[in-house]
Amino acid sequence: MMKEALLDAAEAVLFEHGGRALTLNAVAERAGVSKGGLLYHFPNKEALVQALVARVIAEFDELIGSFDDGGPGSYTRAYVLATFEILTGEARAHRRWSAITAAATDPELAEPLNEAMGRWHKRPCGEDPDPATAMVVRLAAEGLWEVLSHSPGLYDQAELTALRERLLALASG
């Protein structure tokens, strides 16, 4: 529980103040713990960033799995549904942006996220009715996530719902 609170604090620091502001002192202060309390869970900044990245990957994998029913095209539909689940959930909306920002300074820290992106986007599309359309749908969802990371209020709920439904219809063939 404390680890999650520390990761939440790190995300808040990153989202509100950017990558340069991510220090162990800033995270400890934001979480309301001593620096020693933070160091108990994360011995250095790199360990904290690795945990941020791992949490983003695990959360997205879990969401995809929860929506994937195994039928034709289900992975791409699950990808879209997982993306919109995160984009419309305020607490999680900026996790990936925060993890990417934190990891961007060190290619080694970014490697797990790069591998996950490859797995998510280069998944064989053989089970999709139209593999090329499936790739386009996943890339569109990815692009929407990127845009909303920088401009969260750009689309209202009705527009997001329409986008989600359109992407799901495309994924279904």
Side-chain angles (χ1 to χ4, degrees), residues 134-167:
M135 285 189 281
V136 168
V137 167
R138 290 196 306 258
L139 288 169
E142 187 72 32
L144 180 62
W145 198 339
E146 177 68 19
V147 167
L148 293 182
S149 293
H150 298 285
S151 189
L154 188 61
Y155 299 106
D156 64 28
Q157 190 57 48
E159 291 169 315
L160 288 173
T161 298
L163 285 168
R164 184 188 72 221
E165 296 309 312
R166 180 68 174 140
L167 290 173

Side-chain angles (χ1 to χ4, degrees), residues 103-124:
T105 60
D106 184 339
E108 191 174 311
L109 294 174
E111 187 55 33
L113 194 55
N114 295 339
E115 288 175 7
M117 285 288 192
R119 182 169 40 82
W120 295 328
H121 287 284
K122 292 300 282 181
R123 178 182 168 108

Side-chain angles (χ1 to χ4, degrees), residues 59-70 73-89 92 137-138 140-142 144-145 157 160-169 171-172:
E59 180 180 63
F60 198 60
D61 282 340
E62 184 179 314
L63 278 171
I64 289 172
S66 74
F67 291 117
D68 191 345
D69 63 15
S74 67
Y75 177 80
T76 298
R77 286 190 306 278
Y79 187 94
V80 169
L81 291 168
T83 298
F84 277 87
E85 176 79 16
I86 288 173
L87 291 177
T88 57
R92 296 184 299 194
V137 167
R138 290 196 306 258
E142 187 72 32
L144 180 62
W145 198 339
Q157 190 57 48
L160 288 173
T161 298
L163 285 168
R164 184 188 72 221
E165 296 309 312
R166 180 68 174 140
L167 290 173
L168 288 172
S172 294

